[in-house]
Amino acid sequence: MKALLVLLLVCTGVFAQQPEPVVQTPVQYSLGIVPQQSAQKLAGMWIPVIDYINEKTGFAISFATATDIPTFENRVAQQDYDLVYMNPYHYVVFSESANYLPLARDAHKRISGIIVVRKDSPYTTLEQLYGKTLAFPAPAAFAASIIPRGQLAKENISINAQYVNSHDSVYLNVINGLFPAGGGIIRTFEHLPQVQNEQLRILWKSKDYTPHALAVHSRVPEAHRRLILDALLSLSESEDNTHLLQGINFTGFIEALDSDWDDVRELGILSLSRPYY
């Protein structure tokens, strides 16, 4: 009787093998961060934000950077990254040549170039740097290299430039006395450990410009761009997320427009091959 019941159940499909549930793989994207600081430091800053975006969107966005700014520039030029956090000059160039679109930027902060010296340095004016060798992150680092070098050239202050790959390297080289001065930006200067920041002094500061862009490649569907943007905008909606914004030294995100960087375009810097204007 039991055998007949089992046979009946099998025939009616009750014991038929159920199909395996379909496991959907999350959409994978890469977010390339300009290497103004060490990869370890950048990962510590940005991965919590990326984890938040992934939780909100269901995507699998991964952190990426490069060993130095020129390598990063090459990867952006080759359109390796799906999303990119890059300086204003990079955005102006790569929005034209590599199909990157504006997504978001800092809501309130603007970017300023600076030249720093040791706190105990005898230098108090730019003119005193004439003939010296200064440290800069990379030729196309907008506010940390192009703007300071442009100002020096404008004032006919001839200097030699040595590129040391990152903002942190500039600051450490100046602290250690390997260079009398170097170029950076307010944001990375403020993000230095206090013990390092206290050993430096800002000798010169530029005017303000539209800050770095968080851009997205045109291959990312518009619906996905919107989801990522909504996640970024939601960071400002709760005080529980304040630590995430502080971790990347942001006041909050707003949606970016291509025209936001017209102030950079007005400088007439048209290609990465021009070290300064």
Side-chain angles (χ1 to χ4, degrees), residues 24-45:
Q24 292 190 347
T25 303
V27 176
Q28 297 186 4
Y29 291 123
S30 60
L31 170 55
I33 306 296
V34 60
Q36 295 173 322
Q37 297 160 291
S38 71
Q40 182 178 7
K41 182 182 290 187
L42 290 174
M45 293 164 60

Side-chain angles (χ1 to χ4, degrees), residues 66-259:
T67 54
D68 52 52
I69 293 175
T71 302
F72 172 81
E73 291 167 352
N74 289 335
R75 291 178 181 172
V76 179
Q78 294 167 11
Q79 306 173 56
D80 288 351
Y81 304 122
D82 300 302
L83 298 108
V84 189
Y85 179 67
M86 52 185 162
N87 76 40
Y89 177 39
H90 286 150
Y91 172 75
V92 168
V93 172
F94 293 122
S95 62
E96 291 288 335
S97 65
N99 300 311
Y100 283 98
L101 306 171
L103 184 67
R105 62 174 177 85
D106 193 289
H108 302 292
K109 286 187 177 181
R110 293 177 59 85
I111 190 170
S112 301
I114 56 176
I115 293 177
V116 300
V117 296
R118 280 180 58 96
K119 183 160 286 187
D120 58 4
S121 169
Y123 300 118
T124 57
T125 66
L126 291 181
E127 290 80 6
Q128 292 171 311
L129 299 177
Y130 186 94
K132 307 297 183 182
T133 298
L134 274 57
F136 297 97
F142 173 66
S145 296
I146 293 171
I147 297 302
R149 293 200 63 188
Q151 183 66 29
L152 291 165
K154 182 179 179 180
E155 297 188 23
N156 296 315
I157 301 170
S158 177
I159 57 98
N160 299 307
Q162 183 73 41
Y163 298 108
V164 295
N165 296 336
S166 73
H167 292 213
D168 283 357
S169 292
V170 169
Y171 302 137
L172 288 174
N173 273 285
V174 174
I175 288 171
N176 292 327
L178 300 178
F179 296 92
I185 65 173
I186 291 293
R187 185 179 60 80
T188 55
F189 178 75
E190 292 178 344
H191 211 267
L192 282 173
Q194 184 176 354
V195 67
Q196 295 176 6
N197 183 282
E198 290 177 343
Q199 297 181 66
L200 295 170
R201 169 168 52 89
I202 296 176
L203 178 67
W204 172 86
K205 177 179 176 292
S206 77
K207 64 173 281 189
D208 294 340
Y209 292 89
T210 305
H212 285 46
L214 184 56
V216 58
H217 197 272
S218 59
R219 63 175 170 260
V220 176
E222 173 61 28
H224 290 189
R225 291 180 224 160
R226 190 72 237 178
L227 286 173
I228 296 169
L229 177 61
D230 288 345
L232 291 169
L233 298 180
S234 72
L235 277 167
S236 302
E237 295 175 357
S238 171
E239 291 185 359
D240 293 339
N241 300 324
T242 301
H243 68 288
L244 296 177
L245 292 170
Q246 290 177 340
I248 56 175
N249 208 14
F250 265 59
T251 61
F253 285 95
I254 60 170
E255 184 173 3
L257 303 174
D258 182 72
S259 59

Side-chain angles (χ1 to χ4, degrees), residues 29-33 42-65 83 85 214 228 231-232 235 244 248 253:
Y29 291 123
S30 60
L31 170 55
I33 306 296
L42 290 174
M45 293 164 60
W46 280 93
I47 286 178
V49 175
I50 293 172
D51 289 343
Y52 175 88
I53 299 170
N54 287 339
E55 181 180 350
K56 287 287 187 180
T57 62
F59 299 151
I61 301 173
S62 59
F63 168 84
T65 188
L83 298 108
Y85 179 67
L214 184 56
I228 296 169
L232 291 169
L235 277 167
L244 296 177
I248 56 175
F253 285 95

